[in-house]
Structure formats: C-alpha cells, structure tokens
Amino acid sequence: MKYTTQMDAAKKGIITKQMKEVAFEENLDVEIIREKLSKGTVVIPANKNHISLIGKGVGDGLKTKINVNLGVSEDTCNIDTEVEKAKYAINLKADAIMDLSTFGNTGEFRKKLVNVSPVMLGTVPVYDAVAQFGKTIKDISVDDFFSIVETHAKDGIDFLTIHAGLNRTSIERVQKNERLTHIVSRGGSVLYQWMLENDKENPFYENYDRLLEICKKHDVTLSLGDGLRPGSLKDATDAPQIQELIILGELTKEAWKENVQVMIEGPGHVPLNEIAANMQIQKKLCHGAPFYVLGPIVTDIAPGYDHITSAIGGAIAATHGADFLCYVTPAEHLRLPTVEDVKDGIIATRIAAHAADIAKGIKGAINWDNRMSKARGDLNWNKMFELAINPEKAIKYRESDKPKDKEVCTMCGELCAIKRSKKA
C-alpha cells in the first residue's frame, strides 16, 4: 500500500522503516509509535530525500530530544567550520541539527549537512530568502518565499520552521500590547516588516494550502514557528504570544487533514512560575502536537551563562510537556558560538532533557543514574567515567587533583563516607 507521509502511513496502518527505528530506540512496541503518529501527538521528521537519516521520534511518551542550532552569518562565514560543528554535535548525541544560515552559499552548506547527518535537519527558509535574493524585504515576492521552501524540501531538510501564525490578527495584538523587547524572532520580524510595508497578509498564512502541498510531497514536518515568542521575562505569556498560539492550533488541524506532521515552537524567555502553565496552554490549544521550546531562559541577567538559564527552564518545561529542547549556548545574545560553546550548550541541554525524562517516568530513563550510583557505591572510578555524560571533563577533574588513596577523592580523603561505612 502506498503512502505520502509518515502520518499518512500511520493512519493506513502501515509500519515504516522509521517507525521501527523509533520503536527500537525508545524500547516501545512499534504499534504504539504508529498510533501516536496517526493522532499527531508524535512526529518522525523524515524527508524522503534525506537518505542517510535514522528515524527519531518527538512527542508524547518519548525521550526528550535536543536540537543544535548552527549556520554561517555575514560576519562569520566559514562553511567548513560549521560542518565540523555539526559532526561534533552528532558525536555528542544531539538529536537534530538546525541550519540558521543567513549569508553566503547556504545551499552548499545545507547539502553537506544532508550528506553527513544521520540525525534530522531543520531550517528557516525565510532567512534564506533574504540571503539569496539580495532584495529589500518589501520586494521579496510570494513566489520567492515559496521557491526557497521548495528548494529546502528538495534538498532533504526534515523539518521547516515557518511562522505562518503571525497574521494580521496577531499583529493587532502586538500593536495594542506594548512589549519590552517587541519581536525577537528573526523570521517573525522579517514577515512582520514584509506585511507592514506591503500592507498584505502573511504569505504563508494566506497560501497555507500551497505550503502543505510542498510538505506532503517531500514528507517535510512543519515546525510552526513562534514569531511572537517573548524575548524577555516581562513579555512572557502575553496577549500576542497567546494569540499566535491560538492560530497555530488552527493551522495544526489543517495540516493534519493533509497528513502533514506538525510541531509547535514555543517561548524563549519565561519566569519559572509560568513555565508549567505555558506547556499546558500549548498542549490544549494545539491539540497535543509535540512542543519544541527554546530554553526557555528563566532570567535575563546572565549573558555568558545562558546555557545554564535555559537548562533550568528546559528541565521544567520538559517535565510539564515539552518534547523537544533547542539548546542554548553560553554565547547566546553575544556572538556566534564556537565549538566549545556548542559542547557546553549540548551537555547542559542533555542534562535538562534527561532530568525531565526521569521526572516524566520515561521507560528506562533512571537506569543510567542507577548504574552510576552503583559505581559510586563501589568506588569504581573507571565505571563512573564510562557512565558520565561528559567523560572527558570528569577525567580531567579527577586527574587535576589526585588523592594519596586512589580509592577516594581529595574532597573527603580518609573521611570518605562510602569507604568508611563499608569498612565498618
């Protein structure tokens, strides 16, 4: 039996190769994966043209996944460096790579990513429209926007961030509700400017059927972007953010009718006490579609440490329903991240995701911790290093301050509680 998308296959009762891969990774029956795919509560971003892809699932009851943002800019434009960052991120067990390039030969970089990456890939086509056509924002045509979307789909990109919910109604909410940081989404700001200068509706909202046809043709998952996400704690959970979310929920149902998979992008800066409510509102308004969040960052005063502020928010968000965490590096708000920044961001986000999986009761999540605890109880240092989320750093710290008694560490020495209690 033929099928057009993973969702179409799931509705027809067909088990795909990617569903089997997800079931194996999650240690779940493949029928559970198929059923959740058919309902839209799980997605498997898997473009038909991404041949090297190993299927990963995002959504209800699955492990929390993490995404890594990369890409070249006008000030820092080295494709080879970004490819190396991507390979490094994959080795550090990132579940997805997102190309946010805004300058140069973006097509070359995108194709290299597709060739080397077994993990799912995402892009924001609006960025590329600005980069490739060399036009003012106002002069970019509707066909220009859609030609870039088609190109990215043909190239093998698995999920596309499209800010289709930023329509005229959403803009009214922005204009009537003063914000401290206005619009902080790059894609959202481009479309906002285009709409105001042309006095027209968002082309992706007005021509949503055209967008769905492209996605259906290549089996691209729509990541419905949050063009009005809060860029400060003060703007969190405000009327513009919620208005856009309502529209995204409506667009989700339209996509499902065409068997197009959907994720919803969520907020970036949210106070701790509002995170749980944000997750619950999203799941309610968007009918249980998987939720993809940037952080969220829980305080605005820590430039240079935003991998920590976002990991705090990410752990809470995932505990309360977020399915996909976009990493934040120490360079957030400051510059393009280096390889070391990428590493710090990935490790922090993986810790957040794993902590949330334990809290959610994801099958087998706590087993890793139990094995580490057993190694600590046995004072088995080699096993501890083997199980560490970042063995390199653990070994470096241990080697930097060696104890006289190799069985213990320099924190406690002869007063090591584990060694003393065992001896007693």
Side-chain angles (χ1 to χ4, degrees), residues 49-75:
N49 302 317
H50 190 174
I51 307 301
S52 61
L53 179 74
I54 298 172
K56 289 262 187 179
V58 178
D60 178 46
L62 307 186
K63 298 172 189 173
T64 306
K65 304 304 185 298
I66 76 161
N67 172 66
V68 168
N69 289 340
L70 300 167
V72 294
S73 67
E74 185 173 0
D75 289 314

Side-chain angles (χ1 to χ4, degrees), residues 83-307:
V83 170
E84 288 307 307
K85 286 182 190 176
K87 292 177 179 177
Y88 189 56
I90 293 165
N91 288 335
L92 286 174
K93 300 182 181 179
D95 300 297
I97 303 290
M98 200 160 188
D99 170 20
L100 303 186
S101 295
T102 58
F103 184 79
N105 193 344
T106 57
E108 178 189 350
F109 178 45
R110 192 165 55 247
K111 289 171 183 175
K112 284 186 176 182
L113 276 182
V114 172
N115 288 333
V116 304
S117 175
V119 305
M120 53 187 166
L121 299 172
T123 60
V124 187
V126 163
Y127 296 176
D128 209 18
V130 176
Q132 296 307 309
F133 292 116
K135 299 179 179 179
T136 64
I137 301 296
K138 180 181 180 181
D139 290 337
I140 298 173
S141 70
V142 173
D143 285 340
D144 288 338
F145 281 127
F146 277 95
S147 70
I148 290 291
V149 172
E150 181 76 47
T151 297
H152 285 218
K154 285 180 178 178
D155 285 346
I157 299 302
D158 304 294
F159 63 97
L160 298 178
T161 292
I162 305 288
H163 301 85
L166 183 64
N167 64 6
R168 284 179 177 268
T169 303
S170 301
I171 286 179
E172 287 179 13
R173 296 285 82 75
V174 175
Q175 293 170 337
K176 291 180 180 178
N177 294 271
E178 185 178 354
R179 283 184 143 194
L180 194 61
T181 46
H182 204 58
I183 295 176
V184 298
S185 161
R186 280 187 292 185
S189 66
V190 168
L191 289 171
Y192 179 76
Q193 181 181 347
W194 187 92
M195 292 164 68
L196 291 181
E197 291 184 354
N198 288 293
D199 191 24
K200 290 182 179 180
E201 181 58 276
N202 182 333
F204 295 113
Y205 181 79
E206 191 168 44
N207 301 277
Y208 194 58
D209 290 346
R210 183 175 176 181
L211 178 62
L212 294 180
E213 281 302 312
I214 295 172
C215 292
K216 186 163 58 175
K217 180 179 177 183
H218 301 280
D219 197 1
V220 171
T221 298
L222 263 183
S223 183
L224 289 174
D226 51 342
L228 298 180
R229 69 172 180 267
S232 60
L233 299 190
K234 183 181 181 297
D235 295 344
T237 328
D238 66 356
Q241 178 194 335
I242 302 303
Q243 176 64 68
E244 184 181 31
L245 195 58
I246 292 169
I247 295 164
L248 295 183
E250 295 168 352
L251 294 176
T252 296
K253 293 175 77 173
E254 292 301 311
W256 285 348
K257 288 178 185 176
E258 297 299 320
N259 295 320
V260 173
Q261 300 182 92
V262 173
M263 297 188 290
I264 307 296
E265 290 193 12
H269 295 239
V270 183
L272 282 171
N273 60 305
E274 294 182 20
I275 293 175
N278 267 263
M279 303 306 110
Q280 291 159 3
I281 291 168
Q282 185 278 334
K283 289 289 183 177
K284 181 71 173 180
L285 293 179
C286 296
H287 322 292
F291 199 21
Y292 170 32
V293 296
L294 178 64
I297 288 171
V298 295
T299 177
D300 297 330
I301 55 90
Y305 297 92
D306 278 327
H307 59 310

